[in-house]
Amino acid sequence: MFGISIKDRKQLQKVQNRAARIVFRAERLHPSAPLLKHLHWLPIEQRIKFKILLITFKGVHGLIPPYLAEFLQRYSCGRPNLRSSDDSLLLRNPRTYRNDGDKAFYAAAPRLWNSIPASLRHSSSVLAFRKGLKTYLFPG
């Protein structure tokens, strides 16, 4: 679902907002942002990123099937003096030639993974990573 159209993302967000109102039995015009925050629900766009990054974390640590893990290739720098050469958990960004390719897991996962702070990438467990990532992605 990474890279879905703005229209589709808005539709999904409306569904999530309505679900939060149903849970709290709130009025139709009640703002949904505080309800989502109280439920600890990420907005749709951040939820999609959360899922991709969680699968990526598990892939980097060998906790997913090989057919997914093969898309995640470690970045190896040929120049030892660069800052990126110190981070062993960076992933290689594949080159894509079409917009559809940018939306695929093999392209989206490394791009998102490399964009999060190194402290998150180096989390000690899945639970610690989930907690830190949710805090990082949560709006406001």
Side-chain angles (χ1 to χ4, degrees):
M1 292 187 71
F2 186 78
I4 62 172
S5 70
I6 293 171
K7 178 186 169 197
D8 291 340
R9 192 173 58 231
K10 283 183 179 180
Q11 288 290 90
L12 286 171
Q13 190 61 57
K14 284 180 184 179
V15 171
Q16 186 185 39
N17 293 347
R18 184 67 185 134
R21 288 187 190 104
I22 289 171
V23 168
F24 283 104
R25 296 188 175 124
E27 295 291 325
R28 184 174 168 265
L29 298 176
H30 191 279
S32 60
L35 302 177
L36 294 174
K37 190 169 187 169
H38 187 72
L39 289 167
H40 299 280
W41 288 359
L42 290 169
I44 294 298
E45 187 172 358
Q46 282 82 7
R47 179 75 179 162
I48 293 168
K49 290 178 183 179
F50 177 83
K51 286 295 194 179
I52 291 172
L53 286 167
L54 184 59
I55 291 169
T56 306
F57 179 85
K58 290 178 178 182
V60 166
H61 292 89
L63 302 172
I64 61 172
Y67 72 89
L68 282 176
E70 71 186 23
F71 292 125
L72 306 173
Q73 298 175 355
R74 299 278 173 113
Y75 172 75
S76 59
C77 182
R79 297 169 53 195
N81 295 334
L82 296 178
R83 280 181 285 157
S84 60
S85 63
D86 294 337
D87 194 347
S88 62
L89 291 181
L90 285 175
L91 297 177
R92 187 177 67 78
N93 282 326
R95 181 173 295 198
T96 58
Y97 297 100
R98 298 181 61 204
N99 286 343
D100 293 341
D102 291 338
K103 299 174 188 176
F105 177 78
Y106 77 91
R111 189 169 52 246
L112 289 172
W113 179 256
N114 293 341
S115 71
I116 63 174
S119 59
L120 268 178
R121 286 194 302 267
H122 291 278
S123 294
S124 59
S125 68
V126 175
L127 192 61
F129 179 75
R130 285 178 60 124
K131 184 178 179 182
L133 182 61
K134 199 161 189 182
T135 302
Y136 174 74
L137 292 175
F138 217 91

